């Protein structure tokens, strides 16, 4: 269940659910749940890929050697 941190300070937690679907729970910087969405497999995989890329770019910008 990966948790992705957005540049806004929000965090997105992913959790597999029935039938290959994935739940995305978004919390604001204060820790309050602001959104919960369940997506089918293909859409979930695409969104997780985008979240991973966002994490990698944020990490690179934070610790030097940013990807451009």
């Amino acid at each position: 269940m990966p948790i992705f941190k957005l540049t806004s300070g929000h965090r997105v937690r992913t959790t597999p659910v029935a039938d290959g679907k994935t739940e995305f729970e978004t919390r604001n910087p204060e820790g309050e749940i602001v959104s919960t969405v369940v997506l089918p497999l293909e859409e979930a995989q695409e969104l997780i890929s985008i979240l991973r890329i966002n994490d990698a770019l944020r990490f690179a910008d934070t610790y030097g050697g940013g990807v451009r």
Side-chain angles (χ1 to χ4, degrees):
M1 293 180 264
I3 297 175
F4 300 94
K5 184 174 181 184
L6 307 179
T7 55
S8 64
H10 288 70
R11 294 182 186 272
V12 180
R13 182 184 68 170
T14 62
T15 306
V17 293
D19 301 325
K21 296 178 182 177
T22 301
E23 178 182 271
F24 293 82
E25 179 186 271
T26 305
R27 292 180 179 259
N28 64 19
E30 293 76 33
E32 303 164 318
I33 297 173
V34 295
S35 173
T36 302
V37 178
V38 176
L39 297 177
L41 181 63
E42 288 182 15
E43 290 179 50
Q45 288 175 334
E46 183 176 345
L47 182 53
I48 289 170
S49 293
I50 292 167
L51 290 168
R52 283 187 177 139
I53 290 168
N54 179 66
D55 261 7
L57 292 173
R58 187 176 50 79
F59 181 84
D61 284 345
T62 300
Y63 296 103
V67 178
R68 301 279 179 235

